[in-house]
Amino acid sequence: MKNSFSQAMAWLHTWAGLVIGWLLFVIFVGGTIACFDKELTHWMQPALHGHERSGESIDLDQSIVQLQKVSKPHPHAYYVTLPSERSKSLEGGVYYDLGDPDLINLDPATGKKIPETAGGEFFFTLHYNLHSPVWGMYIVGIAGMFMLIAILTGIVIHKRIFKDFFTFRPKTGGQRAWLDGHNLTGVLGLPFHLMIAYTGVAIFVANYMPAGLNAAYNGDVEKFFVEAADSYERPETGKELKTIYPVDKLVADARQRLGQPITWVSVHHPDDTSATISFGGDHSRDVAWNFNSVFYDANDGKFLHQSGAPQAGYKTYTFLGGMHMAQWGGSALRWLYFVMGLAGCVMIASGMQVWVSKRAKKIAEAGSASGYGLVQALNLGVVGGLPLASAAMVIANRLIPAEIAQRANAEITVFCAVWIAATLYAAIPAVHKRGWGQFFAINAVAFALIPLVNLATAPNSHLLATIARGDWSLAAVDLTAFALGAGFALLARNSFVKARQPIVERKPRRAERGNESGNQPALADR
């Protein structure tokens, strides 16, 4: 019975990880980069570098005018995020009841539009909905549930959890090295991965299971949020609002009522006399998301409402969301999340490769055209191609002319084209059999090129300039790219050295011989 249970858990762990593993890798890479999404966006806005300006003297009314210029008829809301320590541009958006928002970035010093970029927001969106607002959100939720299954079953079958924490033998190569990498990163990040998987699913629980909410509020979701979060909304009157009350006149009062700096302002129903102007603080003060806000009448600037403490259940929800998003705790916490995210990427990638390495004999017999060959190609195309595409997109930011239209889409096109090309190359049988060293080397070159291209194209943005003026948030992007390039170079070197060594067959260990007889599955089978 004991063996049957362990074998069942090992089977569930293997297939829960393999079936959804490539998708989980994409989600983890996006989330890891999104730990510093604002810093990356700022790096990809060289027009701002060297003359950043705080948000204390921003002309918000001019920002609203800019949003009115790009707005389509009947917008739901204008939204402006002020510059901060992490984000130096003035970010504006026009949101609609249906369809994608219109987003612009403004220079806070001049109020003019700056060249657009996909920025770190691209990876943040990739992380939580795969750039498919409805279906992507559900797919990511399913992937999160599979990840929870894989983690919990991994704990059950992993009897050497503490010993394997200190075991890593990369020079052995093959299945042993992949398995050590999988075990080490899995044990290292176990509490983090459990937390991140659970909170990632919990954030969208109302979307995944809306039946209770719809039954209690007769489908009026807005009423639920008004009650749970003490939000404020007025029904539309159908009468046109001629002029929005000057937003800048309300900033001082809003700051005093909130007792903290203003970080965003929004205008809901901006073309209707029911319009309201609201202000809010930032999420960095507490673990739980900060939804404290004040509301004013957009007709005459009259104070209307200040949100109070949310209900206990909603407070718990915002705490879980805050744990996942890591907007609190400063840069030290975000670096911790980044490192744990990298560990998760390695855990997922090495776990999928363990599956392939363990079946090397079967793969050789079945041939590259089999399902095994498909798994090999997907492993290489996703794990090796996604970092390469990410690096290419960042490089493209410096090479695409600033004046072209739809510049952000051009960056995304480069990302997709490079990833598709890498995946097609990985599909070649001769490549996916022994292609890891090649992909590691190409990634090493790509990440090393990021600071070099930056040096050649952006006089106020390169590493020498940013270190000289103490702008470490910009310098960190170049330094991280160098570090990742060095890491990929080391992996490439080990792969090429191992590929030149003759293959020596070894006698199976006792645990492996026992597994061949149908006994307790060996650790390598898990």
Side-chain angles (χ1 to χ4, degrees), residues 53-139:
R53 179 177 174 182
S54 70
E56 294 299 322
S57 57
I58 302 300
D59 187 345
L60 291 174
D61 289 317
Q62 180 60 32
S63 304
I64 298 297
V65 171
Q66 293 283 2
L67 292 176
Q68 288 174 324
K69 291 180 180 179
V70 301
S71 175
K72 300 182 183 70
H74 308 299
H76 180 79
Y78 298 150
Y79 198 92
V80 178
T81 302
L82 277 68
S84 65
E85 182 181 353
R86 297 182 59 200
S87 178
K88 307 302 181 181
S89 67
L90 196 64
E91 301 173 5
V94 184
Y95 293 84
Y96 308 94
D97 293 322
L98 296 173
D100 296 330
D102 291 312
L103 305 176
I104 60 173
N105 286 279
L106 306 175
D107 186 334
T110 64
K112 296 181 180 179
K113 289 179 62 176
I114 59 175
E116 64 179 60
T117 177
E121 182 69 21
F122 170 81
F123 296 99
F124 176 71
T125 306
L126 179 70
H127 169 69
Y128 80 87
N129 71 9
L130 306 174
H131 290 274
S132 177
V134 178
W135 288 107
M137 179 186 63
Y138 287 107
I139 292 172

Coordinates of all heavy atoms in Angstrom, one line a residue, residues 53-139:
R53 N 12.5 63.9 -12.7 CA 11.8 64.9 -11.9 C 10.8 64.2 -11.0 O 10.2 63.2 -11.4 CB 11.1 65.9 -12.8 CG 10.4 67.0 -12.1 CD 9.8 67.9 -13.2 NE 9.0 68.9 -12.7 CZ 8.3 69.8 -13.4 NH1 8.4 69.8 -14.7 NH2 7.5 70.7 -12.8
S54 N 10.7 64.6 -9.7 CA 9.7 64.1 -8.8 C 8.3 64.4 -9.2 O 8.1 65.3 -10.0 CB 10.1 64.5 -7.4 OG 9.7 65.9 -7.2
G55 N 7.4 63.8 -8.5 CA 6.0 64.0 -8.8 C 5.3 65.1 -8.0 O 4.1 65.3 -8.1
E56 N 6.1 65.9 -7.3 CA 5.5 66.9 -6.5 C 5.0 68.1 -7.2 O 4.2 68.8 -6.8 CB 6.5 67.4 -5.4 CG 6.9 66.3 -4.4 CD 5.7 65.8 -3.6 OE1 4.8 66.7 -3.2 OE2 5.5 64.6 -3.3
S57 N 5.6 68.4 -8.4 CA 5.3 69.6 -9.2 C 4.7 69.2 -10.6 O 5.0 70.0 -11.5 CB 6.5 70.5 -9.3 OG 7.6 69.8 -9.9
I58 N 4.0 68.1 -10.6 CA 3.5 67.7 -11.9 C 2.2 68.4 -12.3 O 1.3 68.7 -11.4 CB 3.2 66.2 -11.9 CG1 4.5 65.4 -11.5 CG2 2.7 65.7 -13.2 CD1 5.6 65.6 -12.5
D59 N 2.1 68.8 -13.5 CA 0.8 69.4 -14.0 C -0.2 68.3 -14.4 O -0.1 67.8 -15.5 CB 1.1 70.3 -15.2 CG -0.1 71.1 -15.7 OD1 -1.2 70.8 -15.2 OD2 0.1 72.1 -16.4
L60 N -1.0 67.9 -13.5 CA -1.9 66.8 -13.7 C -3.0 67.2 -14.7 O -3.5 66.4 -15.5 CB -2.6 66.4 -12.4 CG -1.6 65.6 -11.4 CD1 -2.3 65.4 -10.1 CD2 -1.1 64.4 -12.1
D61 N -3.4 68.5 -14.7 CA -4.5 68.9 -15.6 C -4.0 68.8 -17.1 O -4.7 68.4 -18.0 CB -4.8 70.4 -15.4 CG -5.6 70.5 -14.1 OD1 -6.5 69.7 -13.8 OD2 -5.3 71.4 -13.3
Q62 N -2.7 69.1 -17.3 CA -2.2 68.9 -18.7 C -2.1 67.4 -19.0 O -2.4 67.0 -20.2 CB -0.7 69.5 -18.7 CG -0.1 69.3 -20.1 CD -0.8 70.1 -21.2 OE1 -1.4 71.1 -21.0 NE2 -0.7 69.5 -22.4
S63 N -1.9 66.5 -18.1 CA -2.0 65.1 -18.3 C -3.4 64.7 -18.7 O -3.5 63.8 -19.6 CB -1.5 64.3 -17.0 OG -0.2 64.7 -16.6
I64 N -4.4 65.2 -18.1 CA -5.8 64.9 -18.4 C -6.1 65.3 -19.8 O -6.7 64.7 -20.6 CB -6.7 65.5 -17.4 CG1 -6.5 65.0 -16.0 CG2 -8.2 65.3 -17.9 CD1 -6.8 63.5 -15.9
V65 N -5.5 66.5 -20.2 CA -5.7 67.0 -21.6 C -5.1 66.1 -22.6 O -5.7 65.8 -23.6 CB -5.1 68.4 -21.7 CG1 -5.1 68.9 -23.2 CG2 -5.9 69.4 -20.9
Q66 N -3.9 65.5 -22.3 CA -3.3 64.6 -23.2 C -4.1 63.3 -23.3 O -4.2 62.8 -24.4 CB -1.9 64.2 -22.7 CG -0.9 65.4 -22.7 CD -0.3 65.7 -24.0 OE1 -0.7 65.0 -25.0 NE2 0.5 66.7 -24.1
L67 N -4.7 62.9 -22.2 CA -5.6 61.7 -22.3 C -6.8 61.9 -23.1 O -7.3 61.1 -23.9 CB -5.9 61.2 -20.9 CG -4.8 60.7 -20.1 CD1 -5.3 60.3 -18.7 CD2 -4.2 59.4 -20.7
Q68 N -7.4 63.1 -23.0 CA -8.6 63.5 -23.8 C -8.3 63.5 -25.3 O -9.1 63.1 -26.1 CB -9.1 64.9 -23.4 CG -9.7 64.9 -22.0 CD -10.1 66.3 -21.5 OE1 -9.4 67.2 -21.8 NE2 -11.2 66.4 -20.8
K69 N -7.0 63.8 -25.6 CA -6.7 63.8 -27.1 C -6.6 62.4 -27.7 O -6.9 62.2 -28.9 CB -5.3 64.5 -27.2 CG -5.3 66.0 -26.9 CD -3.9 66.6 -27.1 CE -3.9 68.1 -26.9 NZ -2.5 68.6 -27.0
V70 N -6.2 61.4 -26.9 CA -6.1 60.0 -27.4 C -7.4 59.2 -27.1 O -7.5 58.1 -27.6 CB -4.9 59.3 -26.8 CG1 -3.6 60.1 -27.1 CG2 -5.0 59.1 -25.3
S71 N -8.3 59.8 -26.4 CA -9.5 59.0 -25.9 C -10.5 58.7 -27.1 O -10.7 59.6 -27.9 CB -10.2 59.7 -24.8 OG -11.4 59.0 -24.4
K72 N -11.0 57.5 -27.1 CA -12.1 57.2 -28.0 C -13.4 57.7 -27.3 O -13.4 58.0 -26.1 CB -12.2 55.7 -28.2 CG -11.0 55.1 -28.9 CD -11.1 53.6 -29.2 CE -9.9 53.0 -29.8 NZ -8.8 53.0 -28.8
P73 N -14.5 57.7 -28.0 CA -15.8 58.1 -27.3 C -16.2 57.2 -26.2 O -15.9 56.0 -26.2 CB -16.8 58.0 -28.5 CG -16.0 58.1 -29.7 CD -14.7 57.4 -29.4
H74 N -16.8 57.8 -25.2 CA -17.4 57.1 -24.0 C -16.4 56.3 -23.2 O -16.5 55.1 -23.0 CB -18.6 56.2 -24.4 CG -19.6 56.9 -25.3 ND1 -20.3 58.0 -24.8 CD2 -20.0 56.7 -26.5 CE1 -21.1 58.4 -25.8 NE2 -21.0 57.6 -26.8
P75 N -15.3 56.9 -22.8 CA -14.3 56.2 -21.9 C -14.9 55.9 -20.5 O -15.8 56.6 -20.1 CB -13.2 57.2 -21.8 CG -13.8 58.5 -21.9 CD -14.9 58.3 -22.9
H76 N -14.5 54.9 -19.9 CA -14.9 54.5 -18.6 C -14.1 55.4 -17.5 O -14.7 55.8 -16.5 CB -14.7 53.0 -18.3 CG -15.1 52.7 -16.9 ND1 -16.5 52.5 -16.6 CD2 -14.4 52.4 -15.8 CE1 -16.5 52.1 -15.3 NE2 -15.3 52.1 -14.8
A77 N -12.8 55.5 -17.8 CA -12.0 56.3 -16.8 C -10.7 56.7 -17.4 O -10.1 56.1 -18.3 CB -11.7 55.4 -15.6
Y78 N -10.2 57.9 -16.9 CA -8.8 58.3 -17.2 C -8.0 57.9 -15.9 O -8.5 58.1 -14.8 CB -8.7 59.8 -17.4 CG -9.5 60.4 -18.6 CD1 -10.0 61.7 -18.6 CD2 -9.7 59.6 -19.7 CE1 -10.7 62.2 -19.6 CE2 -10.3 60.1 -20.8 CZ -10.9 61.4 -20.8 OH -11.5 61.9 -21.8
Y79 N -6.8 57.5 -16.1 CA -6.0 57.1 -15.0 C -4.6 57.6 -15.2 O -4.0 57.4 -16.3 CB -6.0 55.6 -14.9 CG -5.6 55.0 -13.5 CD1 -6.5 54.8 -12.5 CD2 -4.2 54.8 -13.3 CE1 -6.1 54.3 -11.3 CE2 -3.8 54.3 -12.0 CZ -4.7 54.1 -11.1 OH -4.3 53.6 -9.8
V80 N -4.0 58.3 -14.2 CA -2.7 58.8 -14.3 C -1.9 58.4 -13.1 O -2.3 58.5 -11.9 CB -2.7 60.4 -14.3 CG1 -1.3 60.9 -14.4 CG2 -3.5 60.9 -15.5
T81 N -0.7 57.8 -13.3 CA 0.2 57.4 -12.2 C 1.4 58.3 -12.2 O 2.0 58.6 -13.2 CB 0.7 55.9 -12.4 OG1 -0.4 55.1 -12.5 CG2 1.6 55.5 -11.3
L82 N 1.6 58.9 -11.1 CA 2.7 59.9 -10.9 C 4.1 59.2 -10.9 O 4.2 58.1 -10.5 CB 2.5 60.7 -9.7 CG 1.5 61.9 -9.8 CD1 0.1 61.4 -10.0 CD2 1.6 62.8 -8.5
P83 N 5.1 60.0 -11.2 CA 6.5 59.4 -11.1 C 6.8 59.0 -9.7 O 6.2 59.6 -8.7 CB 7.4 60.6 -11.6 CG 6.5 61.4 -12.4 CD 5.1 61.3 -11.8
S84 N 7.6 58.0 -9.5 CA 8.0 57.6 -8.2 C 9.5 57.2 -8.2 O 10.2 57.4 -9.2 CB 7.2 56.4 -7.8 OG 7.5 55.3 -8.7
E85 N 10.0 56.7 -7.1 CA 11.4 56.3 -7.0 C 11.7 55.2 -8.0 O 12.8 55.1 -8.6 CB 11.7 55.8 -5.6 CG 13.1 55.4 -5.4 CD 13.4 54.9 -4.0 OE1 12.5 55.0 -3.2 OE2 14.5 54.4 -3.7
R86 N 10.7 54.3 -8.3 CA 10.9 53.2 -9.2 C 10.6 53.6 -10.7 O 11.2 53.0 -11.6 CB 10.1 52.0 -8.8 CG 10.4 51.5 -7.4 CD 9.6 50.2 -7.1 NE 9.8 49.2 -8.1 CZ 8.9 48.2 -8.4 NH1 7.8 48.2 -7.6 NH2 9.1 47.3 -9.3
S87 N 9.6 54.4 -10.9 CA 9.1 54.7 -12.2 C 9.2 56.3 -12.4 O 8.6 57.0 -11.6 CB 7.6 54.3 -12.4 OG 7.1 54.6 -13.7
K88 N 9.9 56.7 -13.4 CA 10.2 58.1 -13.6 C 9.2 58.8 -14.6 O 9.2 60.1 -14.6 CB 11.6 58.3 -14.0 CG 12.6 57.6 -13.2 CD 12.6 58.1 -11.7 CE 13.6 57.4 -10.9 NZ 13.6 57.8 -9.4
S89 N 8.5 58.1 -15.3 CA 7.6 58.7 -16.3 C 6.2 59.0 -15.7 O 5.9 58.4 -14.7 CB 7.5 57.9 -17.6 OG 6.8 56.7 -17.3
L90 N 5.5 59.8 -16.4 CA 4.1 60.0 -16.0 C 3.2 59.1 -16.9 O 3.2 59.3 -18.1 CB 3.7 61.5 -16.3 CG 2.4 62.0 -15.6 CD1 2.5 62.0 -14.1 CD2 2.2 63.5 -16.1
E91 N 2.6 58.1 -16.2 CA 1.9 57.1 -17.0 C 0.4 57.4 -17.0 O -0.2 57.5 -16.0 CB 2.2 55.7 -16.4 CG 3.6 55.3 -16.3 CD 3.8 54.0 -15.5 OE1 2.8 53.4 -15.1 OE2 5.0 53.7 -15.3
G92 N -0.1 57.4 -18.2 CA -1.5 57.7 -18.4 C -2.2 56.6 -19.2 O -1.6 56.0 -20.0
G93 N -3.5 56.5 -18.9 CA -4.3 55.4 -19.6 C -5.7 55.8 -19.7 O -6.3 56.4 -18.8
V94 N -6.4 55.5 -20.8 CA -7.8 55.7 -21.0 C -8.4 54.3 -21.1 O -8.0 53.5 -21.9 CB -8.1 56.5 -22.3 CG1 -9.6 56.7 -22.4 CG2 -7.3 57.8 -22.4
Y95 N -9.3 54.0 -20.2 CA -9.9 52.7 -20.0 C -11.4 52.7 -20.5 O -12.1 53.7 -20.2 CB -9.8 52.2 -18.6 CG -8.3 51.9 -18.2 CD1 -7.5 53.0 -17.8 CD2 -7.7 50.7 -18.4 CE1 -6.2 52.8 -17.4 CE2 -6.4 50.4 -18.0 CZ -5.6 51.5 -17.6 OH -4.3 51.3 -17.2
Y96 N -11.8 51.6 -21.1 CA -13.1 51.5 -21.7 C -13.8 50.3 -21.1 O -13.2 49.4 -20.5 CB -13.1 51.4 -23.2 CG -12.2 52.5 -23.9 CD1 -10.9 52.2 -24.1 CD2 -12.8 53.7 -24.2 CE1 -10.1 53.2 -24.7 CE2 -12.0 54.7 -24.8 CZ -10.7 54.5 -25.0 OH -9.9 55.4 -25.6
D97 N -15.1 50.3 -21.2 CA -15.9 49.2 -20.7 C -15.6 47.9 -21.5 O -15.6 46.8 -21.0 CB -17.4 49.5 -20.8 CG -17.9 50.6 -19.8 OD1 -17.3 50.6 -18.7 OD2 -18.7 51.4 -20.2
L98 N -15.3 48.1 -22.8 CA -14.9 47.0 -23.6 C -13.7 47.4 -24.4 O -13.5 48.5 -24.8 CB -16.0 46.6 -24.6 CG -17.3 46.0 -23.9 CD1 -18.4 45.8 -25.0 CD2 -17.0 44.7 -23.2
G99 N -12.8 46.4 -24.7 CA -11.6 46.7 -25.5 C -10.4 47.1 -24.7 O -10.4 47.3 -23.5
D100 N -9.3 47.2 -25.4 CA -8.0 47.5 -24.8 C -7.9 49.0 -24.5 O -8.5 49.8 -25.1 CB -6.8 47.1 -25.7 CG -6.8 45.6 -26.0 OD1 -7.2 44.9 -25.1 OD2 -6.3 45.2 -27.1
P101 N -7.2 49.3 -23.4 CA -7.0 50.8 -23.1 C -6.0 51.4 -24.0 O -5.2 50.8 -24.7 CB -6.4 50.7 -21.6 CG -5.7 49.4 -21.6 CD -6.5 48.4 -22.4
D102 N -6.1 52.8 -24.0 CA -5.1 53.6 -24.8 C -4.1 54.1 -23.7 O -4.5 54.8 -22.8 CB -5.8 54.7 -25.5 CG -6.6 54.3 -26.7 OD1 -6.1 53.5 -27.4 OD2 -7.8 54.7 -26.8
L103 N -2.8 53.7 -23.9 CA -1.8 54.1 -22.9 C -0.8 55.0 -23.5 O -0.4 54.9 -24.6 CB -1.1 52.8 -22.4 CG -2.0 51.7 -21.9 CD1 -1.2 50.4 -21.5 CD2 -2.8 52.2 -20.6
I104 N -0.4 56.0 -22.7 CA 0.7 56.9 -23.1 C 1.6 57.1 -21.9 O 1.3 56.9 -20.7 CB 0.1 58.3 -23.5 CG1 -0.7 58.9 -22.4 CG2 -0.8 58.1 -24.8 CD1 -1.1 60.4 -22.7
N105 N 2.9 57.5 -22.2 CA 3.9 57.9 -21.2 C 4.3 59.3 -21.5 O 4.6 59.7 -22.7 CB 5.1 56.9 -21.3 CG 4.7 55.6 -20.7 OD1 4.8 55.4 -19.5 ND2 4.4 54.6 -21.5
L106 N 4.3 60.1 -20.5 CA 4.7 61.5 -20.6 C 5.9 61.9 -19.8 O 6.2 61.3 -18.8 CB 3.5 62.4 -20.1 CG 2.1 62.1 -20.7 CD1 1.1 63.0 -20.0 CD2 2.1 62.4 -22.2
D107 N 6.7 62.8 -20.4 CA 7.8 63.3 -19.7 C 7.3 64.3 -18.6 O 6.7 65.3 -18.9 CB 8.7 64.1 -20.7 CG 10.0 64.6 -20.0 OD1 10.1 64.8 -18.8 OD2 11.0 64.7 -20.8
P108 N 7.6 64.0 -17.3 CA 7.0 64.8 -16.2 C 7.6 66.2 -16.3 O 7.0 67.2 -15.7 CB 7.4 64.1 -15.0 CG 8.5 63.2 -15.3 CD 8.3 62.8 -16.8
A109 N 8.8 66.4 -16.9 CA 9.4 67.7 -16.9 C 8.8 68.6 -18.0 O 8.7 69.9 -17.8 CB 10.9 67.6 -17.2
T110 N 8.3 68.0 -19.1 CA 7.7 68.8 -20.2 C 6.3 68.6 -20.5 O 5.6 69.4 -21.1 CB 8.5 68.6 -21.5 OG1 8.4 67.2 -21.8 CG2 10.0 68.8 -21.3
G111 N 5.7 67.4 -20.0 CA 4.4 67.1 -20.3 C 4.2 66.5 -21.6 O 3.0 66.2 -22.0
K112 N 5.2 66.3 -22.4 CA 5.1 65.8 -23.8 C 5.2 64.2 -23.8 O 5.8 63.6 -22.9 CB 6.3 66.4 -24.6 CG 6.2 67.9 -24.8 CD 7.3 68.4 -25.7 CE 7.2 69.9 -25.9 NZ 8.3 70.4 -26.8
K113 N 4.7 63.6 -24.8 CA 4.7 62.2 -24.9 C 6.2 61.8 -25.2 O 6.9 62.5 -25.9 CB 3.8 61.7 -26.1 CG 2.3 61.8 -25.8 CD 1.5 61.3 -27.0 CE 1.8 59.9 -27.3 NZ 0.9 59.3 -28.3
I114 N 6.6 60.7 -24.6 CA 7.9 60.1 -24.9 C 7.7 58.9 -25.8 O 6.7 58.3 -25.8 CB 8.7 59.8 -23.6 CG1 7.9 58.8 -22.7 CG2 8.9 61.1 -22.8 CD1 8.6 58.4 -21.5
P115 N 8.8 58.4 -26.5 CA 8.7 57.2 -27.3 C 8.1 56.1 -26.5 O 8.6 55.8 -25.4 CB 10.1 57.0 -27.8 CG 10.8 58.4 -27.7 CD 10.1 59.1 -26.6
E116 N 7.2 55.4 -27.1 CA 6.5 54.3 -26.3 C 7.4 53.1 -26.3 O 8.3 52.9 -27.1 CB 5.2 54.0 -27.0 CG 5.2 53.5 -28.4 CD 3.9 53.1 -28.9 OE1 3.0 54.0 -29.0 OE2 3.7 52.0 -29.3
T117 N 7.2 52.2 -25.3 CA 7.9 51.0 -25.2 C 7.0 50.0 -24.5 O 6.1 50.3 -23.7 CB 9.2 51.2 -24.4 OG1 9.8 49.9 -24.2 CG2 8.9 51.7 -23.0
A118 N 7.2 48.7 -24.9 CA 6.5 47.6 -24.2 C 6.9 47.5 -22.8 O 6.1 47.2 -21.9 CB 6.7 46.3 -24.9
G119 N 8.2 47.7 -22.5 CA 8.7 47.8 -21.2 C 8.5 46.6 -20.3 O 8.1 45.5 -20.8
G120 N 8.6 46.8 -19.0 CA 8.4 45.7 -18.0 C 7.0 45.3 -18.0 O 6.7 44.2 -17.5
E121 N 6.1 46.2 -18.3 CA 4.6 45.9 -18.3 C 4.3 44.7 -19.2 O 3.4 43.9 -18.9 CB 3.8 47.1 -18.8 CG 2.3 46.9 -18.7 CD 1.8 46.8 -17.3 OE1 2.4 47.3 -16.4 OE2 0.7 46.3 -17.2
F122 N 5.1 44.5 -20.3 CA 4.9 43.4 -21.2 C 5.1 42.0 -20.4 O 4.3 41.1 -20.6 CB 5.9 43.4 -22.3 CG 5.9 42.2 -23.2 CD1 5.0 42.0 -24.2 CD2 6.9 41.2 -23.0 CE1 5.0 40.8 -25.0 CE2 6.9 40.1 -23.8 CZ 6.0 39.9 -24.7
F123 N 6.1 42.0 -19.6 CA 6.4 40.7 -18.9 C 5.4 40.5 -17.7 O 5.1 39.4 -17.4 CB 7.8 40.7 -18.4 CG 8.9 40.7 -19.5 CD1 9.5 41.9 -19.9 CD2 9.2 39.6 -20.1 CE1 10.4 41.9 -20.9 CE2 10.1 39.5 -21.2 CZ 10.7 40.7 -21.6
F124 N 5.0 41.6 -17.1 CA 4.0 41.5 -16.0 C 2.7 41.0 -16.6 O 2.1 40.1 -16.0 CB 3.8 42.9 -15.4 CG 2.7 43.0 -14.4 CD1 2.9 42.4 -13.2 CD2 1.5 43.6 -14.7 CE1 1.9 42.4 -12.2 CE2 0.5 43.6 -13.7 CZ 0.7 43.0 -12.5
T125 N 2.3 41.5 -17.8 CA 1.0 41.0 -18.4 C 1.2 39.6 -18.8 O 0.3 38.7 -18.7 CB 0.6 41.9 -19.5 OG1 0.5 43.3 -19.1 CG2 -0.7 41.5 -20.1
L126 N 2.3 39.2 -19.4 CA 2.6 37.9 -19.8 C 2.5 36.9 -18.6 O 2.0 35.8 -18.7 CB 4.1 37.8 -20.4 CG 4.5 36.4 -20.9 CD1 3.8 36.0 -22.1 CD2 6.0 36.4 -21.1
H127 N 2.9 37.4 -17.5 CA 2.9 36.5 -16.3 C 1.5 36.2 -15.8 O 1.2 35.0 -15.5 CB 3.6 37.3 -15.1 CG 3.5 36.7 -13.8 ND1 4.0 35.5 -13.4 CD2 2.8 37.1 -12.7 CE1 3.7 35.2 -12.2 NE2 2.9 36.1 -11.7
Y128 N 0.6 37.1 -15.8 CA -0.7 36.9 -15.2 C -1.9 36.5 -16.2 O -2.9 36.0 -15.8 CB -1.1 38.0 -14.3 CG -1.7 39.2 -14.9 CD1 -3.1 39.3 -15.2 CD2 -0.9 40.3 -15.2 CE1 -3.6 40.4 -15.7 CE2 -1.5 41.5 -15.7 CZ -2.8 41.5 -16.0 OH -3.3 42.7 -16.6
N129 N -1.7 36.9 -17.5 CA -2.8 36.5 -18.4 C -2.3 36.2 -19.8 O -3.1 36.0 -20.7 CB -3.9 37.5 -18.5 CG -3.5 38.8 -19.2 OD1 -2.4 38.9 -19.8 ND2 -4.3 39.8 -19.1
L130 N -1.0 36.1 -20.0 CA -0.4 35.7 -21.3 C -0.9 36.6 -22.4 O -0.9 36.2 -23.6 CB -0.8 34.2 -21.6 CG -0.5 33.2 -20.6 CD1 -1.1 31.8 -21.0 CD2 1.0 33.1 -20.3
H131 N -1.2 37.8 -22.1 CA -1.7 38.8 -23.1 C -3.0 38.4 -23.7 O -3.3 38.8 -24.8 CB -0.6 39.1 -24.1 CG 0.6 39.8 -23.6 ND1 0.6 41.2 -23.5 CD2 1.8 39.4 -23.1 CE1 1.8 41.6 -23.0 NE2 2.5 40.5 -22.7
S132 N -3.8 37.6 -23.0 CA -5.1 37.2 -23.4 C -6.0 37.5 -22.2 O -6.1 36.6 -21.3 CB -5.2 35.8 -23.8 OG -6.5 35.4 -24.1
P133 N -6.6 38.7 -22.1 CA -7.2 39.1 -20.8 C -8.2 38.1 -20.2 O -8.3 38.0 -18.9 CB -8.0 40.4 -21.2 CG -7.2 40.9 -22.4 CD -6.7 39.7 -23.1
V134 N -9.0 37.4 -21.0 CA -10.0 36.5 -20.4 C -9.5 35.1 -20.3 O -9.2 34.5 -19.3 CB -11.3 36.5 -21.1 CG1 -12.3 35.6 -20.5 CG2 -11.9 38.0 -21.1
W135 N -9.2 34.5 -21.5 CA -8.8 33.1 -21.5 C -7.5 32.9 -20.9 O -7.2 31.9 -20.2 CB -8.8 32.6 -23.0 CG -10.2 32.4 -23.5 CD1 -10.9 33.1 -24.4 CD2 -11.1 31.3 -23.1 NE1 -12.1 32.7 -24.6 CE2 -12.3 31.6 -23.8 CE3 -11.1 30.3 -22.2 CZ2 -13.4 30.7 -23.7 CZ3 -12.2 29.4 -22.1 CH2 -13.3 29.7 -22.8
G136 N -6.6 33.8 -21.1 CA -5.2 33.7 -20.5 C -5.3 33.7 -19.0 O -4.5 32.9 -18.4
M137 N -6.2 34.4 -18.4 CA -6.3 34.4 -16.9 C -6.7 33.1 -16.4 O -6.1 32.6 -15.4 CB -7.3 35.5 -16.5 CG -7.5 35.6 -15.0 SD -8.9 36.7 -14.7 CE -10.3 35.9 -15.5
Y138 N -7.6 32.4 -17.1 CA -8.1 31.1 -16.7 C -7.0 30.1 -16.9 O -6.8 29.1 -16.1 CB -9.3 30.7 -17.5 CG -10.6 31.5 -17.0 CD1 -11.1 32.4 -17.8 CD2 -11.1 31.2 -15.8 CE1 -12.3 33.1 -17.4 CE2 -12.3 31.9 -15.3 CZ -12.8 32.8 -16.1 OH -13.9 33.5 -15.7
I139 N -6.3 30.2 -18.1 CA -5.2 29.2 -18.3 C -4.1 29.3 -17.3 O -3.6 28.3 -16.8 CB -4.6 29.5 -19.7 CG1 -5.6 29.1 -20.8 CG2 -3.3 28.7 -20.0 CD1 -5.2 29.5 -22.2

